[in-house]
Amino acid sequence: MTFPFAALVGQPDLRLALLLGSVDWRLSLLLKGDKGSGKSTAARALADILPAGAAFINVPIGTTEDRLLGGLDLGQALQGKAELKRGLIHQAHGGVLYIDEINLIADSLTDALLDVASSGRHYVERDGFSSSSDSSFILLGSMNREEGELRPQLLDRFALSLHVQAPMDIEERASIIESRLRFDADPEAVCASFEHEQQLLRQAILDARLLIPTIKPSGEILRQISEKVTRAGVRSLRADLAALRAAIAHAALSRRADVNAEDIDAILPLVLHHRAKASPNQTPKPPAESSRPSNDGGNESGQGRLEGQDRVFPIELANAPELRVNLADAIARGRTAKAKQHDAGPCTTSGAVAGGAELDVIASFKQSFRNTGRASLKSEHLIFRTHVARSGVRFLFLVDASGSHTAQQRMSAVKGLVAALLNSSVDAKDEVAVISFRGSKAEIVLKPCRDAEAALRVLEFLPTGGRTPLAHALELGGSLVNTNSLLILVTDGRANVPLNGTDPWQDALDAAAKLNCASVLVNTSQEVSSPAAMETLASAMKAKLLSLDDLSKESLLALAGDLT
């Protein structure tokens, strides 16, 4: 028994988005938000107000391609009958297909899901068999942004999106908890008390579905939608189409036969949330010339000199090697070193089912024919393919933006280096995060995401000046490390802000020793005395030490081959 949709407290935008999707199944919906904000509860509650018999299919994170999209029915094949087995995508027809943590499933599966969600028809071409069938469903995806983002190309395929946050109002939070406690104590009684409201919602959805085909938006409405989408800086025409469909659905829910400006204003935030350029990880505004601090004053640098205050240096174009060419055995990473696995294609095993393996139908039939002279499968003839799993790398850039760089006016070159590494190394499956450290602390200026362009925009207007909190930067970088991380620290090594004790340099070495990932240390200092200290820091990090000048000469760097 699910929590009643009518009993949901607060979250008006979430309830509106779910109702729009229930009226027009083409309005796929992505819910972003922190854990415990009610995303899953609301998604499951939707199923109970859909027409009778509507399925609610919850797709597990570890689902296989065959289970989701359909494939050969192994049970029938072992009996000599070659038939395709329907997948979860078929079972969801007419109902809801819900994927919690959708950002953690394979991109290829997400692509296939979104194709079907927009077309309403699914085509299966597998193992020499083909079939097609109607498959229209409400696609709901939810995700926690701290665990990684979807690729921008996939984000755009969702018609609607919103950020779900738990309310901070004390009374509202208490009301939510009270409502949940009543449901847990007696779910049947709570559902019965809201049955009348639930029935009204069911009827409203049915009426709106019947009204949608009769609504013909005017040319003026189309122009208004295009104008608002264009003003938001969105190029994709999917936004215009999603806005039109959502506005029609909104009008239908309001029992009106025409679309007006109020419908557009009500749904536009849901359409633009994941598409508009002005998002938290997008372009920061450059400081105005009049508001930039002058260079008359000074901040103390690591060597006791007075350096210029905050300034913004442009990016200087540079070339850099690819950070994933080939790990080889040249770089020892101590506790994180792993033997390189050469991707020689899929491995095959025969006999019993191998965990996580995929049945190779053609090879199995050939094996059966060779052994028995007949193309009839038996368990001992089955051959499975085991693919080497490949995942993206999380590139963590720790960029020294302290006053020492400002004095040397090398920040343009430093920014150029980071930009060049991004362009040469990061692909669609990778994540990028940028940490800037200056003044009294380090800060995450770009959370892990798959938008390399966002990192470039952050770098463009990254201010510099002040002291060098190197230890804090290393500690903060360590908090973002996952199993497939590559940390690139770009600094001149001047540590002058303590973290725990009174010795800033020792604090930095201690923080470096706690890192547990592949690392690169890029020395941007021009001073002759710095190499010994930088070698000590590189040793603590288990990092490959390179100089800014070495990288600018496009020296071949073998680093992340075993991470992808």
Side-chain angles (χ1 to χ4, degrees):
M1 189 168 291
T2 59
F3 193 84
F5 190 90
L8 294 174
V9 177
Q11 305 286 12
D13 292 338
L14 174 58
R15 287 185 281 123
L16 172 61
L18 291 170
L19 288 174
L20 292 174
S22 69
V23 171
D24 188 341
W25 59 267
R26 295 169 298 183
L27 295 174
S28 52
L29 174 61
L30 177 64
L31 307 177
K32 299 182 179 181
D34 300 330
K35 293 179 179 179
S37 56
K39 303 185 299 295
S40 300
T41 299
R44 292 186 174 90
L46 179 65
D48 194 42
I49 60 172
L50 295 178
F56 184 90
I57 304 299
N58 193 352
V59 179
I61 292 295
T63 190
T64 62
E65 187 174 352
D66 283 352
R67 183 72 184 99
L68 181 62
L69 306 178
L72 185 71
D73 189 325
L74 183 57
Q76 293 295 321
L78 290 173
Q79 298 177 22
K81 300 177 183 179
E83 295 181 2
L84 286 175
K85 185 177 182 180
R86 293 167 63 86
L88 295 174
I89 207 169
H90 302 92
Q91 299 174 25
H93 180 55
V96 178
L97 187 73
Y98 175 57
I99 309 174
D100 194 13
E101 307 297 350
I102 191 172
N103 52 321
L104 300 183
I105 72 170
D107 288 340
S108 59
L109 296 184
T110 309
D111 272 324
L113 281 171
L114 291 169
D115 282 338
V116 179
S118 61
S119 68
R121 193 157 186 85
H122 180 46
Y123 298 88
V124 180
E125 299 282 349
R126 295 183 63 81
D127 302 315
F129 301 94
S130 63
S131 71
S132 64
S133 61
D134 291 332
S135 185
S136 58
F137 49 81
I138 304 169
L139 177 61
L140 296 181
S142 63
M143 57 180 281
N144 179 2
R145 296 181 64 175
E146 293 180 357
E147 296 175 348
E149 286 278 11
L150 284 173
R151 299 201 324 264
Q153 297 89 335
L154 293 182
L155 277 175
D156 185 52
R157 302 286 292 279
F158 278 95
L160 310 176
S161 175
L162 76 156
H163 186 70
V164 184
Q165 291 180 307
M168 297 305 292
D169 180 77
I170 296 175
E171 296 299 327
E172 188 174 354
R173 289 175 70 96
S175 178
I176 292 173
I177 298 303
E178 182 183 5
S179 177
R180 185 70 210 192
L181 290 175
R182 287 200 308 269
F183 178 79
D184 291 342
D186 193 347
E188 293 184 359
V190 171
C191 289
S193 66
F194 283 95
E195 182 55 32
H196 177 66
E197 295 178 53
Q198 294 278 97
Q199 186 57 41
L200 291 177
L201 288 171
R202 294 187 192 105
Q203 190 60 48
I205 291 171
L206 287 173
D207 293 343
R209 287 184 175 183
L210 293 174
L211 188 57
I212 278 182
T214 68
I215 299 178
K216 307 297 181 184
S218 65
E220 177 60 27
I221 289 296
L222 297 180
R223 282 189 291 272
Q224 287 185 31
I225 289 175
S226 295
E227 180 183 2
K228 292 178 181 294
V229 170
T230 304
R231 283 183 177 179
V234 178
R235 292 184 177 273
S236 174
L237 288 171
R238 289 194 183 100
D240 302 61
L241 186 58
L244 177 61
R245 288 172 174 168
I248 291 174
H250 190 271
L253 280 171
S254 303
R255 294 182 172 86
R256 285 186 283 102
D258 61 332
V259 179
N260 58 33
E262 292 180 1
D263 296 315
I264 299 174
D265 292 338
I267 58 87
L268 206 59
L270 300 172
V271 175
L272 300 180
H273 173 265
H274 54 308
R275 295 184 173 98
K277 296 299 181 183
S279 68
N281 287 337
Q282 297 291 337
T283 312
K285 294 182 180 180
E289 291 294 335
S290 60
S291 65
R292 294 183 187 179
S294 68
N295 201 27
D296 296 335
N299 292 330
E300 187 180 355
S301 76
Q303 303 300 318
R305 298 189 300 268
L306 292 180
E307 305 294 353
Q309 292 186 0
D310 293 358
R311 298 182 63 187
V312 176
F313 289 88
I315 294 178
E316 179 181 294
L317 296 180
N319 294 319
E322 183 181 352
L323 294 184
R324 56 166 81 250
V325 179
N326 177 20
L327 181 65
D329 297 319
I331 301 174
R333 293 192 285 112
R335 55 191 175 277
T336 59
K338 294 183 287 187
K340 179 170 176 62
Q341 298 176 346
H342 298 280
D343 187 6
C347 305
T348 60
T349 60
S350 60
V353 177
E358 178 184 354
L359 177 66
D360 189 328
V361 177
I362 304 302
S364 298
F365 272 115
K366 288 180 178 178
Q367 176 84 339
S368 174
F369 189 82
R370 282 195 297 267
N371 291 352
T372 66
R374 299 168 52 198
S376 60
L377 289 182
K378 294 184 179 180
S379 59
E380 61 268 22
H381 300 149
L382 300 183
I383 295 177
F384 295 87
R385 298 186 295 249
T386 303
H387 292 274
V388 177
R390 301 181 67 83
S391 58
V393 177
R394 174 174 289 185
F395 287 88
L396 303 175
F397 287 93
L398 277 59
V399 182
D400 185 347
S402 64
S404 54
H405 275 141
T406 304
Q408 299 170 18
Q409 296 200 6
R410 301 198 79 201
M411 197 60 195
S412 293
V414 170
K415 290 182 177 182
L417 164 68
V418 177
L421 290 174
L422 280 165
N423 287 327
S424 64
S425 304
V426 177
D427 63 27
K429 291 184 178 181
D430 298 325
E431 291 184 332
V432 180
V434 178
I435 293 176
S436 167
F437 56 103
R438 57 191 286 270
S440 61
K441 64 179 182 179
E443 65 173 330
I444 301 172
V445 294
L446 181 70
K447 293 182 178 180
C449 68
R450 292 184 178 179
D451 187 358
E453 292 184 1
L456 294 175
R457 290 190 288 269
V458 165
L459 287 169
E460 185 175 1
F461 299 112
L462 185 66
T464 67
R467 298 164 68 85
T468 312
L470 177 58
H472 187 217
L474 291 167
E475 183 181 68
L476 194 57
S479 68
L480 297 182
V481 166
N482 63 11
T483 55
N484 286 347
S485 292
L486 178 61
L487 186 146
I488 302 101
L489 172 61
V490 185
T491 182
D492 60 7
R494 294 178 178 175
N496 48 39
V497 178
L499 182 62
N500 299 313
T502 58
D503 186 343
W505 179 246
Q506 187 58 51
D507 285 350
L509 295 179
D510 293 342
K514 295 177 182 178
L515 293 175
N516 191 28
C517 67
S519 303
V520 184
L521 174 57
V522 180
N523 181 9
T524 62
S525 174
Q526 292 180 311
E527 296 185 6
V528 179
S529 60
S530 64
M534 296 298 281
E535 288 175 3
T536 301
L537 179 60
S539 177
M541 295 173 60
K542 300 291 191 296
K544 177 71 174 180
L545 176 61
L546 296 163
S547 71
L548 181 63
D549 294 332
D550 286 339
L551 284 173
S552 64
K553 295 175 183 177
E554 299 186 64
S555 59
L556 183 62
L557 183 61
L559 279 176
D562 68 336
L563 292 176
T564 57

